[in-house]
Amino acid sequence: MKALSSRKFILMGLLPATLIYALFVFVPVIWSSYYGFFDWSGIGEAHYIGFDNYVEIFRDPIFWTALNNNIIFVLASVFGQIPIALIVAILVQKDGRLTRFLRTAVFMPMVLSTVVIGMIWQYIYHPQIGILNFLLQALGLESWQRVWLSEDYGIFSLIPPLIWSFVGLYLIIFIAALQNIPGEIHDAANLDGATGARKLWSVTLPMIKGTIIVAVVLCISGSLKSFDLVYIMTRGGPAHATELLATYMYNSTFSSYRYGFGSAISTTIVLISLVLIGISQWIMSLKSKSKT
Amino acid sequence: MRRWTKTAAGLLLSSMVVVSACGGNGGNNEGGTAGDKVKLTVWHNWTGQDGKAIAMRGLLEQFEADHPNIELETEGLPTDGLKTRLRTVAAANEMPDLFVMWPDVMTKEFVGGDLIQPINDYLDSKPEWRDNFIENALDGYTVDDNIYSVPMNLAPTSFIYYNQAIFDEHNVSVPQTWDELLAAVETFKEGGVIPIALGNKANWFVQSTIFSTIGDRITGSDWFLKAASQDGASFTDPQFVEALEKLQELGEAGAFQQGFNSIDENQMVQLYFQGKAAMFISGGWAMANVVSNAPEDILSQTHVALLPAIEGGAGDPASTAGVVGTGMGISSKLEGARKDAAMELLYALAGPEGQQATLDSATLVSYNIPLDESKASPLFVELYNLMQDTKISPVYDSKLSSAAVEVTNNSLQELLNGGDPQTIAQRIQDAQAAAVKRQ
Amino acid sequence: MNSAANSSARRATKTKQAVLWTLLTVYGLLTLYPLFWLFLSSFKSTQDFFNRPFGLPEAWKFENFSNAWESSNIGQAFGNSLITTLGALAITLFISLLAAFILARFRFRFKGAILAFFVVGMLVPIHSTLVPLFIMMKEISMLNTYWALIFPYTAFALPTAIFVLTAYLATIPKDLEEAAFMDGSGLWGIFFRIMIPISLPALSTVVILSFLHSWNDFSFALVLITSTGLKTLPLAIANFADGYQTDYGLTLAAMTIAVIPTIVMYMIFQEQVMKGMTAGAVKG
């Protein structure tokens, strides 16, 4: 009797989410990956060409530039956003006026539209009237002045705005997890004389390990999809220097009008993301095994 | 417990059913005739506060007032948004009744997908209108002898906007030849002024405003059209490589300020407005911005000129690259009273009165009408008069395939950063050849 | 000797603390600055904006706000954004928590497959789904209704929501539910009376993320809504910015108006995150 009702509950409970998700995400994704096998401009007749689009993608140097840039983004996000967010979260989790201010301030870039963030950073990096070059000059470091969003430095110049605008996301996730650690555990650790760094390593981090894994997955998937910030700040240029997989896909679809090709790129993005997330999960499971 | 289950599932399912049952009239084309009123959906990009956008919105309102039996459902979108949305609805064969449409590539693709209908009959019923367009104005809207729209304006893409005061201060006169241009660049650079402000972040900019004209000066239009159709000419030909080298030479001479690939057109014009640059090169569209936003002391010193001649080139030096402006596409699904209404609206926007209103808003038109010089800004009068003796040569992005345009735009950014002209020529050739083969 | 070392060590920690908090405060100010910049710039004229992008307004143009509100139907767009965002939010919260409850607490076949199925959704670049979604919406006659946005917003928010909630529930001991089950509470009863309060911190995170995601969406709104009356805020704001004639003061004023609800949302739910499980546990 109990088994029966719980099976029914499982079905009823999963149904709405699965249905809506399947209909409005999964079907369009499969549909679009189907277009990936066609030479289609988005208008008129489509020609089936098998895996030709995929062959072309892997031969296209721009794809490799984009993939390379995307991996830089993933690494910068995972090793930039998550540690910063974690440190800030640990420091500001106690209630107080200053911590409350910090919690809000660090999150604020998240609420702003990317257009605004792009505008500000463009003026920071502006080659003639930008703040950064102005500061360098004021400090007597003229030789450090650069055209920041250029072929040579563009992709690295995009990393600070990227990290800076998403730290807030992981901050609230970590704060939620930290609040969740029962007070007794802190008390016990304190009794054992664990303080500062040692308490952090031996008590706090293991307690929120699950959350850190969640954050890493969100971070990888988020930075592989990055589009807005780069599209607004550089449009993937100059000369593809800051191209990402998502801008490459968008430009192929809506600028070059190669809808089939664009769909093939987007399928490739999903596949690459799955592989990267699989690898990251594997690495983290290895680590936790070696510890225990 | 049971009740909870049922209510939750029931709510969700019924909401979906209700939604699909009363989901509006579904699409844009089935609006049809509500009562006696003819209803048309119109999509445009006249959303800004500039003179032309205001004039066009005014024409739409006037049309509704004049035709009480026609109801317009208009929707304005920024240009990029309009293009993206048109691509999407085109894939689903759901065009709006009338929409702002670009000549050449877009028109051809929409005709190929059977999405729009020709206007030949209507045009022929008004010969005085049809015959008053400037030479070749309808070419971009013509596919297989059928005409699908008419241009509502004209977009020459390369003029030098220059500051006379800065020129005088450095004793430079407007360059007539390539060498004079290079000399002027040298002088301004030594004087600590940016010779030519440039904003090429949206990478079509150099291609459209500088390279299309330089290319035409050297190769001539005939060669370019042949190369574009891959019929007896190739982008690896020496004259094209020479054109690339010329542009690179200009860049290497230091004509543009540092970081031109990372700022946009708006920021480019601002450098000029702030008096930091002696010139900028842009299309006729920049006029409205200059006239309404330039500081008084800059505006009074600003004049326009063509790009200089290039010795030994095959092109006509008294020309600028350009395209006719946007027209209105008419959905192929329209017929009967709705089709008639659509044609009337086209005439209201692109007919003599519409063209006059556009010209009065300081925008050039592809239609022969005089400018009322007493009403217009002196700088616009200057541009209008300059255009009277100037021919239009093809802009690269209007004749090349979309894929080749993307390659060209990106390659020109690379070229100005020291890329190899030969390699770039080969790349453009490959892209265009592949696209022509695909057709 | 010993005490001297001790006090100097304490002084060292104190200095360290001071440096640390100063650094944090500077970082906080840096992250807060864009909001301040947006606010200041929204009082400028276009020329002023370009001439001194980081300065104070030359003359404070308060009329930017009233002009922005009146032109381009910002008021109506604001309402549309609220309806679609809150609609999607309500559905997302309910069904994602339900699914997470089941995925975290029950054992059944295909559980791994279902989780993986949802994870794919976090990896999809949304632009590739625009054309298929448009065609689908047309077929089920949903184009130009609020549902044309509510469903995709919900569907694209679900994977992250389920992922975050499932992971959160996995860290919470099952004592409370087991006790309730012993007391004879049914599964729905447990869901409503225990799971919802217990998940509040994670739910608040989901609220903040889903709200931001739908509120700022441009692409879906551009393609799936074609009637002027249903336009959402990001589209209405984009109309101010057209090429050469962008009035920056006006655009930024509109953006300032648009950002207020997200800040309010954040303030409210951030408090919930902070209250943490302790509050939920007491209730249960």
Side-chain angles (χ1 to χ4, degrees):
Chain A
M1 193 60 210
K2 187 192 140 197
L4 194 71
S5 80
S6 84
R7 187 187 294 168
K8 213 167 166 191
F9 182 78
I10 290 173
L11 266 178
M12 292 313 288
L14 284 178
L15 192 68
T18 315
L19 204 66
I20 291 187
Y21 169 76
L23 205 58
F24 296 101
V25 177
F26 210 70
V27 169
V29 168
I30 299 297
W31 193 334
S32 137
S33 63
Y34 167 76
Y35 286 141
F37 295 108
F38 289 85
D39 179 19
W40 188 40
S41 71
I43 295 171
E45 252 177 80
H47 302 280
Y48 179 79
I49 52 167
F51 282 92
D52 283 9
N53 281 331
Y54 290 91
V55 173
E56 189 182 339
I57 289 172
F58 289 112
R59 282 197 190 143
D60 189 347
I62 302 166
F63 167 77
W64 295 105
T65 313
L67 182 61
N68 189 26
N69 287 339
N70 248 134
I71 289 175
I72 295 177
F73 261 42
V74 169
L75 293 177
S77 306
V78 172
F79 295 105
Q81 288 165 1
I82 290 185
I84 295 178
L86 195 54
I87 293 168
V88 176
I90 289 168
L91 290 172
V92 303
Q93 59 169 327
K94 291 200 193 81
D95 231 349
R97 209 173 281 169
L98 183 60
T99 55
R100 197 175 300 168
F101 159 75
L102 285 171
R103 281 200 300 269
T104 308
V106 173
F107 190 77
M108 279 307 119
M110 283 290 294
V111 310
L112 283 176
S113 117
T114 324
V115 178
V116 176
I117 291 173
M119 267 188 200
I120 295 175
W121 281 90
Q122 270 175 294
Y123 279 106
I124 291 175
Y125 286 144
H126 193 294
Q128 275 75 41
I129 57 171
I131 282 195
L132 186 54
N133 279 346
F134 173 79
L135 280 180
L136 288 173
Q137 191 176 18
L139 294 172
L141 297 169
E142 275 93 346
S143 60
W144 289 18
Q145 289 183 343
R146 294 283 181 278
V147 176
W148 296 101
L149 293 172
S150 65
E151 282 87 341
D152 307 325
Y153 307 102
I155 192 68
F156 300 105
S157 303
L158 286 168
I159 288 175
L162 178 80
I163 292 181
W164 169 89
S165 51
F166 288 104
V167 164
L169 167 66
Y170 303 105
L171 180 72
I172 57 164
I173 292 178
F174 287 140
I175 288 180
L178 290 170
Q179 293 299 316
N180 205 16
I181 299 177
E184 304 93 68
I185 291 185
H186 284 290
D187 297 343
N190 287 342
L191 278 182
D192 286 352
T195 45
R198 207 161 72 83
K199 185 174 141 194
L200 182 70
W201 276 115
S202 57
V203 182
T204 313
L205 286 185
M207 283 301 288
I208 60 165
K209 205 189 84 200
T211 311
I212 296 178
I213 294 177
V214 171
V216 169
V217 171
L218 285 179
C219 198
I220 294 176
S221 66
S223 42
L224 277 169
K225 280 193 304 185
S226 322
F227 173 82
D228 293 8
L229 188 71
V230 170
Y231 192 73
I232 286 166
M233 286 184 66
T234 66
R235 297 201 161 216
H240 299 296
T242 58
E243 203 79 76
L244 299 179
L245 291 171
T247 56
Y248 177 50
M249 192 267 310
Y250 185 85
N251 285 334
S252 303
T253 311
F254 292 102
S255 303
S256 300
Y257 299 147
R258 300 185 59 196
Y259 195 85
F261 187 66
S263 298
I265 299 173
S266 112
T267 309
T268 312
I269 298 177
V270 173
L271 294 178
I272 292 175
S273 313
L274 280 175
V275 170
L276 280 184
I277 286 179
I279 293 176
S280 75
Q281 297 284 45
W282 182 66
I283 292 176
M284 286 201 246
S285 74
L286 276 189
K287 259 196 182 164
S288 65
K289 258 179 217 151
S290 69
K291 256 184 200 163
T292 47
Chain B
M1 208 71 32
R2 286 265 168 86
R3 240 184 308 135
W4 269 116
T5 331
K6 277 187 187 153
T7 336
L11 264 177
L12 186 85
L13 286 177
S14 60
S15 74
M16 297 188 73
V17 173
V18 170
V19 160
S20 28
C22 61
N25 60 10
N28 324 294
N29 298 313
E30 292 141 45
T33 50
D36 290 324
K37 264 200 168 183
V38 174
K39 215 168 146 188
L40 290 175
T41 50
V42 183
W43 292 359
H44 61 78
N45 60 343
W46 307 312
T47 58
Q49 298 302 313
D50 53 309
K52 185 188 168 225
I54 291 168
M56 296 313 279
R57 288 202 299 265
L59 287 175
L60 285 173
E61 275 163 30
Q62 186 62 41
F63 181 83
E64 267 194 300
D66 293 346
H67 300 77
N69 61 326
I70 300 175
E71 192 185 329
L72 298 182
E73 199 180 307
T74 60
E75 208 200 342
L77 288 168
T79 304
D80 283 350
L82 179 65
K83 284 184 171 173
T84 304
R85 188 194 280 171
L86 283 175
R87 297 300 302 184
T88 315
V89 297
N93 194 6
E94 280 285 297
M95 303 312 284
D97 298 326
L98 274 96
F99 56 93
V100 166
M101 181 173 76
W102 279 261
D104 297 300
V105 178
M106 186 191 269
T107 301
K108 259 185 222 138
E109 292 205 335
F110 285 177
V111 171
D114 200 18
L115 300 171
I116 49 176
Q117 58 177 301
I119 57 163
N120 296 36
D121 294 344
Y122 187 73
L123 206 53
D124 289 341
S125 73
K126 295 187 186 307
E128 77 294 342
W129 177 42
R130 179 194 65 197
D131 298 334
N132 207 22
F133 282 94
I134 62 171
E135 212 183 330
N136 302 330
L138 305 184
D139 290 1
Y141 291 103
T142 308
V143 181
D144 297 334
D145 294 331
N146 279 325
I147 299 169
Y148 290 86
S149 192
V150 294
M152 296 181 288
N153 55 297
L154 178 69
T157 61
S158 321
F159 296 108
I160 298 177
Y161 292 75
Y162 63 93
N163 184 324
Q164 187 66 54
I166 299 181
F167 270 60
D168 290 346
E169 189 190 328
H170 293 85
N171 250 327
V172 175
S173 58
V174 181
Q176 302 297 325
T177 65
W178 188 254
D179 291 336
E180 282 176 32
L181 178 64
L182 291 179
V185 164
E186 196 53 42
T187 313
F188 287 130
K189 235 174 51 180
E190 276 163 18
V193 181
I194 298 168
I196 304 174
L198 176 61
N200 193 36
K201 188 179 107 183
N203 56 19
W204 58 270
F205 195 79
V206 158
Q207 170 263 118
S208 174
T209 64
I210 304 180
F211 186 68
S212 287
T213 301
I214 292 182
D216 189 80
R217 294 268 196 279
I218 294 173
T219 68
S221 308
D222 292 343
W223 176 89
F224 171 64
L225 293 174
K226 274 193 218 156
S229 53
Q230 292 287 301
D231 179 16
S234 152
F235 286 101
T236 50
D237 289 350
Q239 55 265 58
F240 184 70
V241 177
E242 191 195 332
L244 291 172
E245 283 164 357
K246 275 280 187 247
L247 177 62
Q248 195 169 41
E249 182 186 12
L250 190 61
E252 277 167 3
F256 313 117
Q257 87 285 359
Q258 259 204 334
F260 52 82
N261 275 337
S262 66
I263 69 169
D264 65 22
E265 191 181 350
N266 237 321
Q267 292 169 321
M268 161 189 98
V269 177
Q270 290 304 323
L271 285 176
Y272 178 82
F273 284 178
Q274 289 160 2
K276 293 187 173 119
M279 308 172 248
F280 69 94
I281 300 177
S282 188
W285 61 80
M287 178 59 67
N289 189 10
V290 174
V291 168
S292 55
N293 292 333
E296 196 43 52
D297 54 322
I298 299 282
L299 177 61
S300 61
Q301 294 296 330
T302 299
H303 297 280
V304 286
L306 295 178
L307 259 59
I310 295 177
E311 307 80 50
D316 180 352
S319 72
T320 161
V323 275
V324 295
T326 49
M328 297 295 288
I330 298 177
S331 165
S332 55
K333 287 182 187 162
L334 288 189
E335 45 193 32
R338 302 183 65 218
K339 179 177 165 180
D340 295 342
M343 295 293 175
E344 267 180 70
L345 179 56
L346 175 69
Y347 189 71
L349 295 170
E353 281 174 39
Q355 305 281 0
Q356 190 71 54
T358 306
L359 186 65
D360 289 345
S361 71
T363 305
L364 294 169
V365 292
S366 320
Y367 192 76
N368 290 312
I369 33 169
L371 174 69
D372 183 350
E373 298 198 1
S374 63
K375 279 196 218 154
S377 132
L379 188 57
F380 183 66
V381 174
E382 197 180 316
L383 179 71
Y384 178 87
N385 290 331
L386 176 67
M387 277 314 289
Q388 299 310 307
D389 314 310
T390 303
K391 288 211 187 76
I392 300 262
S393 61
V395 178
Y396 271 57
D397 58 16
S398 72
K399 298 295 174 197
L400 294 179
S401 68
S402 313
V405 168
E406 267 300 292
V407 171
T408 308
N409 291 349
N410 277 296
S411 298
L412 292 180
Q413 284 189 329
E414 192 187 322
L415 181 81
L416 287 171
N417 196 39
D420 172 41
Q422 207 84 44
T423 319
I424 286 167
Q426 184 68 50
R427 204 184 300 148
I428 295 171
Q429 168 61 21
D430 292 347
Q432 182 63 9
V436 167
K437 212 174 81 189
R438 229 179 279 133
Q439 277 166 4
Chain C
M1 186 72 195
N2 204 349
S3 83
N6 231 350
S7 81
S8 84
R10 212 174 298 146
R11 223 177 302 133
T13 9
K14 256 200 177 159
T15 333
K16 249 194 242 167
Q17 288 270 326
V19 171
L20 182 70
W21 286 103
T22 316
L23 278 178
L24 260 182
T25 311
V26 170
Y27 178 62
L29 289 174
L30 280 178
T31 50
L32 199 58
Y33 181 73
L35 199 64
F36 179 69
W37 180 87
L38 172 68
F39 189 69
L40 271 191
S41 307
S42 59
F43 291 103
K44 291 180 180 176
S45 68
T46 301
Q47 210 47 50
D48 194 13
F49 174 82
F50 276 115
N51 285 344
R52 299 176 316 140
F54 293 106
L56 285 174
E58 221 164 15
W60 293 74
K61 291 187 67 182
F62 290 96
E63 66 270 25
N64 279 346
F65 281 86
S66 50
N67 289 345
W69 186 264
E70 277 156 26
S71 54
S72 198
N73 275 331
I74 289 281
Q76 192 184 36
F78 198 91
N80 291 334
S81 275
L82 270 184
I83 292 171
T84 49
T85 303
L86 293 181
L89 190 58
I91 303 178
T92 305
L93 286 180
F94 182 71
I95 68 178
S96 65
L97 185 60
L98 195 53
F101 174 36
I102 289 162
L103 289 168
R105 286 295 195 259
F106 291 81
R107 256 189 262 163
F108 54 96
R109 266 204 290 174
F110 305 123
K111 189 162 115 174
I114 291 180
L115 263 173
F117 171 66
F118 278 110
V119 167
V120 173
M122 299 199 308
L123 313 174
V124 176
I126 61 162
H127 296 106
S128 64
T129 63
L130 290 180
V131 169
L133 262 181
F134 179 83
I135 298 176
M136 258 177 59
M137 291 293 180
K138 179 188 129 191
E139 294 302 328
I140 54 178
S141 301
M142 250 187 224
L143 278 183
N144 281 330
T145 64
Y146 286 129
W147 297 104
L149 294 182
I150 291 178
F151 280 126
Y153 288 170
T154 306
F156 275 86
L158 277 176
T160 314
I162 291 177
F163 191 62
V164 168
L165 289 171
T166 310
Y168 182 81
L169 288 180
T171 65
I172 292 185
K174 297 177 186 169
D175 317 0
L176 281 173
E177 299 142 69
E178 272 159 14
F181 200 77
M182 289 301 172
D183 291 351
S185 293
L187 292 171
W188 284 104
I190 291 174
F191 176 72
F192 280 101
R193 262 179 284 127
I194 297 177
M195 294 323 283
I196 292 184
I198 229 174
S199 319
L200 272 184
L203 274 179
S204 305
T205 312
V206 172
V207 168
I208 296 171
L209 295 186
S210 311
F211 187 91
L212 280 175
H213 166 261
S214 320
W215 187 260
N216 290 332
D217 163 73
F218 181 80
S219 304
F220 287 138
L222 171 69
V223 166
L224 300 174
I225 292 289
T226 57
S227 112
T228 317
L230 296 179
K231 247 185 203 176
T232 58
L233 263 182
L235 272 173
I237 293 173
N239 267 355
F240 287 112
D242 195 45
Y244 310 95
Q245 295 291 312
T246 303
D247 184 328
Y248 279 89
L250 217 56
T251 311
L252 293 166
M255 284 176 170
T256 307
I257 295 173
V259 85
I260 291 169
T262 49
I263 296 177
V264 171
M265 253 344 215
Y266 176 76
M267 295 289 196
I268 295 173
F269 285 94
Q270 170 60 29
E271 283 309 299
Q272 291 300 319
V273 174
M274 282 310 292
K275 276 183 201 154
M277 196 191 65
T278 33
V282 169
K283 260 183 232 155

